[in-house]
Amino acid sequence: MSTMPLSSQDLDGFRDVQRLAYRCAETIADEMRPGMTERDVASRMKDFLLAEGADDCFHQPFAWFGDRTAFRGFVGFKHLGGFNPAFYPGLRRLEENMPFILDCAPSRRGYTADIGYCGVVGQNRALDRLMDDLMEYRFLIVDLVRQRRTLAEVSQAVDRLCAKHGYEPRHKAYPFEVLAHRVEKLEDDGRPKHLSLARFGVRNVAELLKDRIKGARDGWSPLWNSKAGSDHPPTPGLWAVEPHLGFRDVGAKWEELLVITEDDAFWLDDEVPQVKRWKARGLWPTADVRAAA
Amino acid sequence: MNPDQTVQSGDLSLAVYTWGTPAPGKPNVVLVHGYPDAASVWEKTAQILSDRYHVIAYDVRGAGRSDVPDHTKAFELEHLVEDLAQVVDAMSPDQPVHLVCHDWGSIQSWEAVTTERMAGRIASYTSISGPSIDHAAYWIMNRLRSGSPQEMSTVARQLSHSWYIGAFQLPLFGPAIWKLGMDKLWPKLLSKVEGIEADANPTQTKDGSIGVNLYRANFVQRLLKPNERRTDLPVQVIVAKRDRFVLPEVLDDLPQWVPNLWQREIDAGHWVQISHPEQVAAMAGEFIDFVETGEETVALRRARRRGPRKPMTGKLVVVTGAGGGIGRETLLAFAEQGASVVAVDIDIEAAERSAELARLLDVEAWWRQVDVGAVEQMEALAAWVATELGAPDIVVNNAGIGLSGRVLDTSVADWDRLLKVNLWSVILGSKLFAQQMIDAGKQGHIVNVASAAAFSPSKALPAYATTKAAVHMLSDCLRAELADHRINVVSVCPGFINTGITTSSRFVGVSDEKQEQLRAKAKQLYSRRNLKPQAVAEAILDAVKKNKPEALVGAEAHAFRFLSRFVPSLSRRLARLDMI
């Protein structure tokens, strides 16, 4: 069913580009100051990635500030099937204590990452709480996939955890209400630049379309959500998983590549900012606690 | 009222009155009156306060038995502050004083607490119905600059309440009306317009006509050239809710200037110290004690203002079934508007979580584990609220469970449990908390969550619909009973709301396997309708704000209501359909 077997060399390639993407988010987040617009920040991220050798992307960098992190109101999930211009970075200016989300998806030499990073210049208690709680989702998702539950069931379990926490699953505002989407290896053609349309990388989106067609034949979908289309066992390969939680005007997310094999699943990299943050705050469970869970 | 002594301030002699005796360690409280009053306006409040404090009041220059300056400029704020400083130095040389001020007394005391002259001489400040003119000027400017029509209309509304300030700038007008009979009319006017009985004030003519100079010497000057006035002193602002002269919105930006701020409310007109002396004295005393001892009462903790003032700031809301669904959303909706909240649920973890979420919205929140179907637990809840937090302003009786299946299949035990949770809890919640509201003189709201099922017969939900119809009728009757106490009862009738109740409802008379299937089907039906609990929370908030008797949520609720009223025969036919 898998479209390609992933060698350890491939995993290293994906890991490297995921680290590049997170380095980009962390570097630009450090430079962020009140008064900058979403567009300023998105273009800084783009410049950073180009300078670091990115030659294509899944989508060009996005930046959302303030209540735009929570996709409330008209941009909420049922409108336009999730396709709406609210994703594009706008002229919203950053203010002190305003939460922000940076999302970038560079490709380099055929390997693609898609990451989400959130933070604040100043303090935001709601954001802190959301970011703390996001840890539970990272464990929940990989645990259920290991139990070979269907992807729809995993996504529904995420919905239920959101309800328990009192959060809105804001990833439902994404196109097709996806919790995750498939990422494929591209051909490394050595060209320094590839075509983007409407800020989405043509080659990566084409891979997604191919998967959609192939998947329809084989009984799986590259768009992982809570619906019937995802009611199939975990499909081996790479998935960019992006739980996005919202509480009133504050949204928070992380996005990472999940590696699914025929009989196992693991996060591609544990050296990501959110994991470091949970460890620094003493939230990361010890091995015993994890084993007991 | 005769002065106990006089204090000299420059050329003027000020009449000073005292209540109680000074003693070491006993706080000295200074009361400053407004316009067109004299120190006598404080008499009732001062007597109550003198039980525990040494109380000092004085006639402001130009008023009562104090001397009258001979020119308008002598009424500028800096001279008024100098007078206060002289009184404080003379009457409390060894310790800083606690100020309690009303109207113009409060306006001039803002000047005293935000300027250098009295640094170290003031321990706390309780301000009633008298904002700083400088703060007001910034408040107006910020709203006009915002360009928002809503903000501008607030400014227009405040200015329309301040018409007399403009009129007092006219030559002759102010003093003339007082000399032409307004002085005699004043007590009657207060009684008619404000509903308060004030004794005739022998110096009324003087207080009214001379005091006009306060406006003439300060208003235009300050409004046009305001200064940024800040203070780190603890400040308690008491808002008179029905004040005809000052809108509470004027205090919206106050935390920007005053980091240590508490804001409370009294349901009264402008002269609260005449109409509600006990409450004014209690609030002032509570604040003074807090500043002296550092012990903050629950009421004060709730009154602490850090961010902008919100519509529900200072209110206490109790919500049952607050661990999820409509209850949690309602709790958060009130918290978002600034209310302190109590999350009640049978599931302690869920209740605690809801309270924690509310705290993220910068309000005080508590949680209690209660089985609302148990009488003694509801009584214990009410007793805990009364002793720990005081009577609530809003109670939302929301907790409920679902039960589906034919009457003939519903056991006595099922009926019993359903009646206890869905009906008895509402009866008790209404009765216990309404009594608390009446005893505390609160014009609160009892919100009972019924259902559109209350008026939609159906063979699928007979027991549930029966309990909800009873809740609906109970609310209608109780509304009539509590109308004289001005307590509003809201009956909430939501349609198909997508909450956890769909997955936890029981279906009687079916196998376990069938039970799961039916639940899944019901869940699908409800999620397809996708009417969210937030919609109910918004409707409840709206009903409370607008004093509505009823809140129907969802088109189906309106449709069922229409059918039950105008086409009952069709309603009866529909009742026979299999819903799922």
Side-chain angles (χ1 to χ4, degrees), chain A residues 89 95 189 213 215 250:
Chain A
E95 291 168 21
D189 57 12
I213 294 161
V250 182

Side-chain angles (χ1 to χ4, degrees), chain A residues 72 77-78 125-126 129 133 162-168 247-249, chain B residues 328-329 332-333 336 349 353 356-362 530 532 534:
Chain A
R72 285 188 99 187
F77 32 107
K78 286 290 164 187
R125 288 196 302 130
R129 187 67 212 227
D133 289 335
C162 283
K164 184 181 149 212
H165 279 151
Y167 297 144
E168 293 240 29
F247 178 65
R248 320 311 274 187
D249 281 340
Chain B
R328 178 179 274 174
E329 286 304 328
L332 294 176
E336 201 164 41
E349 268 180 49
R353 176 80 197 179
E356 278 174 18
L357 291 172
R359 284 186 190 145
L360 292 178
L361 301 169
D362 292 322
N530 200 28
K532 295 188 185 314
Q534 285 91 327

Side-chain angles (χ1 to χ4, degrees), chain B residues 289-309:
Chain B
D289 293 347
F290 159 58
V291 172
E292 290 284 326
T293 63
E295 281 166 29
E296 193 175 17
T297 59
V298 173
L300 274 175
R301 238 165 63 207
R302 277 175 45 205
R304 182 77 203 247
R305 254 191 77 189
R306 291 191 175 84
R309 194 189 68 86

Side-chain angles (χ1 to χ4, degrees), chain B residues 47-85:
Chain B
Q47 270 163 8
I48 303 169
L49 283 171
S50 66
D51 287 347
R52 294 168 51 220
Y53 312 103
H54 179 223
V55 184
I56 302 143
Y58 67 102
D59 290 327
V60 172
R61 58 171 60 196
R65 302 191 196 280
S66 288
D67 287 350
V68 182
D70 55 4
H71 57 291
T72 305
K73 267 179 103 59
F75 284 89
E76 283 175 352
L77 289 174
E78 56 171 300
H79 303 299
L80 301 173
V81 172
E82 185 57 34
D83 291 352
L84 176 62

Side-chain angles (χ1 to χ4, degrees), chain B residues 124-169:
Chain B
S124 81
Y125 175 34
T126 294
S127 158
I128 309 167
S129 293
S132 149
I133 308 178
D134 300 82
H135 292 166
Y138 278 104
W139 178 83
I140 293 173
M141 280 195 301
N142 286 338
R143 264 142 203 84
L144 295 183
R145 275 194 201 130
S146 75
S148 135
Q150 201 187 348
E151 299 280 21
M152 290 203 199
S153 84
T154 315
V155 171
R157 221 149 42 85
Q158 173 59 53
L159 292 181
S160 74
H161 286 262
S162 311
W163 58 272
Y164 58 95
I165 297 175
F168 284 174
Q169 305 296 327

Side-chain angles (χ1 to χ4, degrees), chain B residues 369-551:
Chain B
Q369 183 179 30
V370 175
D371 174 359
V372 294
V375 178
E376 67 287 352
Q377 292 195 34
M378 277 302 280
E379 285 171 346
L381 169 72
W384 178 84
V385 171
T387 43
E388 295 294 319
L389 311 172
D393 296 276
I394 297 149
V395 173
V396 184
N397 291 306
N398 161 74
I401 50 177
L403 188 74
S404 183
R406 301 193 310 164
V407 175
L408 298 185
D409 293 330
T410 307
S411 70
V412 172
D414 283 332
W415 272 107
D416 188 50
R417 180 74 193 142
L418 195 72
L419 282 166
K420 274 185 177 143
V421 176
N422 285 10
L423 180 58
W424 263 109
S425 70
V426 181
I427 296 173
L428 285 170
S430 302
K431 180 176 141 76
L432 294 166
F433 288 113
Q435 189 62 53
Q436 287 185 13
M437 289 177 188
I438 293 171
D439 294 345
K442 277 199 172 173
Q443 296 162 16
H445 301 262
I446 306 269
V447 180
N448 294 334
V449 180
S451 164
F455 37 72
S456 329
S458 144
K459 71 173 184 182
L461 289 166
Y464 179 79
T466 304
T467 59
K468 291 302 186 181
V471 168
H472 194 50
M473 180 54 84
L474 168 74
S475 308
D476 283 348
C477 299
L478 190 65
R479 184 177 311 116
E481 182 178 329
L482 297 178
D484 287 344
H485 297 284
R486 294 169 75 180
I487 294 172
N488 180 35
V489 179
V490 187
S491 175
V492 185
C493 300
F496 301 114
I497 309 294
N498 192 12
T499 73
I501 203 170
T502 57
T503 38
S504 59
S505 285
R506 280 204 327 112
F507 292 80
V508 293
V510 295
S511 67
D512 285 355
E513 195 188 339
K514 182 84 178 156
Q515 172 104 249
E516 282 312 309
Q517 278 176 14
L518 287 171
R519 271 186 190 164
K521 259 188 156 173
K523 186 171 166 45
Q524 203 182 16
L525 184 81
Y526 277 68
S527 54
R528 215 169 272 157
R529 170 71 181 92
N530 200 28
L531 191 54
K532 295 188 185 314
Q534 285 91 327
V536 185
E538 274 168 36
I540 290 177
L541 204 62
D542 182 64
V544 165
K545 282 184 177 170
K546 297 182 183 157
N547 256 323
K548 288 184 182 170
E550 218 174 51

